[in-house]
């Protein structure tokens, strides 16, 4: 029974609002506490669902939030909003967005994401000045592989036969890889599992965010792996909303995006 309770506690999502870190409560109770702490009406409260840790930007650790999590909270405060960050698996986050159970997430402005979510816009284009952060995606291969990337295409092998691995639901990578006509294996639960698949030869290459690589693979050569010299691409991440917001909520989001753009480059929201 004790082991079962520990398993359940380990798999509970955490919720934290404003500066009240560390407490694990029901969504309703945490939202109520956030409102009481901020003295803001529920109409100015936003729920943001984050599904994947990408240290140091997103940690999904309420006691040690990442730079982007801190930016979302502080920018919301300055925009006169309260924010509650929820942690669920990515697919669950998308389900919650579709059902109206959460209000926003962080996402790259890929074609599929733009069809499903609302991004900050300027003159008909996604407004890069109001991004939360940017991530660099790197190629990783086995040291005995001849594959290389010249910035446009793969060399050193038959591109039609190459299988590239990513972690599950990593649209910033999968959509770009598919656009190149590459075969994609996106079933790895997390980066360590993906790198084990690469080392075992179950995929030919892996695409990993630089921040994740530095966390999970500080010395790739020790594992018989190698990071290619030329990165795959750099992608912006945004606060992306569930479509169909009211005019009042849309105005709040615009103000929030503006503050994000103003605060983003401050030292406290950048890796050292």
């Amino acid at each position: 029974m004790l082991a079962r309770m520990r398993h359940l506690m380990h798999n509970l999502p955490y919720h934290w609002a404003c500066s009240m870190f560390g407490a694990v409560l029901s969504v309703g109770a945490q939202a109520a506490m956030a409102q009481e702490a901020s003295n803001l009406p529920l109409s100015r409260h936003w729920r943001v669902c984050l599904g994947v840790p990408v240290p140091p930007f997103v940690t999904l650790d309420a006691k040690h939030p990442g730079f982007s999590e801190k930016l979302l909270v502080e920018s919301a405060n300055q925009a006169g909003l309260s924010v509650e960050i929820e942690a669920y698996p990515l697919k669950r986050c998308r389900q919650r967005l579709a059902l109206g159970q959460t209000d926003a997430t962080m996402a790259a402005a890929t074609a599929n994401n733009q069809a499903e979510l609302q991004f900050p816009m300027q003159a008909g284009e996604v407004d890069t000045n109001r991004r939360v952060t940017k991530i660099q995606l790197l190629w990783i291969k086995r040291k005995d592989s001849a594959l290389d990337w010249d910035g446009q295409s793969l060399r050193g092998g038959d591109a039609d036969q190459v299988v590239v691995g990513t972690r599950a639901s990593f649209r910033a990578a999968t959509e770009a890889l598919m656009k190149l006509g590459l075969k994609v294996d996106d079933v790895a639960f997390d980066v360590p599992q993906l790198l084990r698949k690469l080392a075992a030869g179950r995929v030919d290459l892996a695409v990993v965010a630089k921040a994740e690589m530095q966390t999970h693979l500080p010395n790739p050569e020790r594992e018989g792996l190698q990071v290619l010299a030329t990165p795959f691409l750099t992608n912006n991440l945004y606060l992306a909303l569930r479509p169909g917001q009211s005019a009042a909520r849309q105005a709040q989001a615009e103000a929030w995006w503006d503050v994000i753009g103003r605060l983003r480059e401050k030292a406290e929201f950048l890796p050292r």
Side-chain angles (χ1 to χ4, degrees), residues 143-197:
K143 288 186 69 177
D144 60 2
S145 170
L147 290 169
D148 201 0
W149 172 253
D150 63 8
Q152 300 293 327
S153 60
L154 288 174
R155 300 177 299 173
D158 186 351
D160 292 336
Q161 301 302 316
V162 171
V163 178
V164 182
T166 71
R167 57 169 169 73
S169 304
F170 193 16
R171 287 186 173 182
T174 56
E175 290 189 32
L177 291 166
M178 290 177 179
K179 191 173 181 179
L180 290 173
L182 297 171
K183 296 178 182 178
V184 179
D185 179 320
D186 61 350
V187 300
F189 178 74
D190 55 20
V191 171
Q193 182 184 21
L194 172 60
L195 296 177
R196 288 194 297 270
K197 291 180 69 171

Side-chain angles (χ1 to χ4, degrees), residues 82-122:
S82 62
V83 61
E84 175 184 353
I85 293 184
E86 307 171 337
Y88 289 95
L90 272 172
K91 289 184 179 180
R92 180 78 181 278
C93 277
R94 292 308 177 99
Q95 290 171 350
R96 290 177 60 79
L97 282 162
L99 294 171
Q101 296 171 339
T102 195
D103 304 300
T105 188
M106 257 177 57
T110 66
N112 287 338
N113 281 343
Q114 288 188 65
E116 298 173 8
L117 300 169
Q118 183 185 353
F119 291 81
M121 304 296 289
Q122 177 67 34

Side-chain angles (χ1 to χ4, degrees), residues 176-251:
L177 291 166
M178 290 177 179
K179 191 173 181 179
L180 290 173
L182 297 171
K183 296 178 182 178
V184 179
D185 179 320
D186 61 350
V187 300
F189 178 74
D190 55 20
V191 171
Q193 182 184 21
L194 172 60
L195 296 177
R196 288 194 297 270
K197 291 180 69 171
L198 176 61
R202 293 166 58 192
V203 296
D204 302 299
L205 289 167
V207 168
V208 177
K210 182 178 180 180
E212 293 177 303
M213 187 277 293
Q214 291 171 331
T215 298
H216 296 290
L217 196 66
N219 187 349
E221 292 189 2
R222 190 175 298 165
E223 305 298 328
L225 303 177
Q226 177 181 341
V227 179
L228 298 191
T230 304
F232 177 35
L233 57 83
T234 298
N235 224 323
N236 294 317
L237 296 181
Y238 300 86
L239 175 69
L241 313 183
R242 173 175 54 84
Q245 302 289 338
S246 68
R249 295 283 278 182
Q250 186 66 41

Side-chain angles (χ1 to χ4, degrees), residues 35 38-46 80 82 249 252:
Q35 299 314 310
S38 65
N39 294 318
L40 292 173
L42 192 61
S43 61
R44 300 190 70 81
H45 183 69
W46 287 76
S82 62
R249 295 283 278 182
Q252 292 174 20

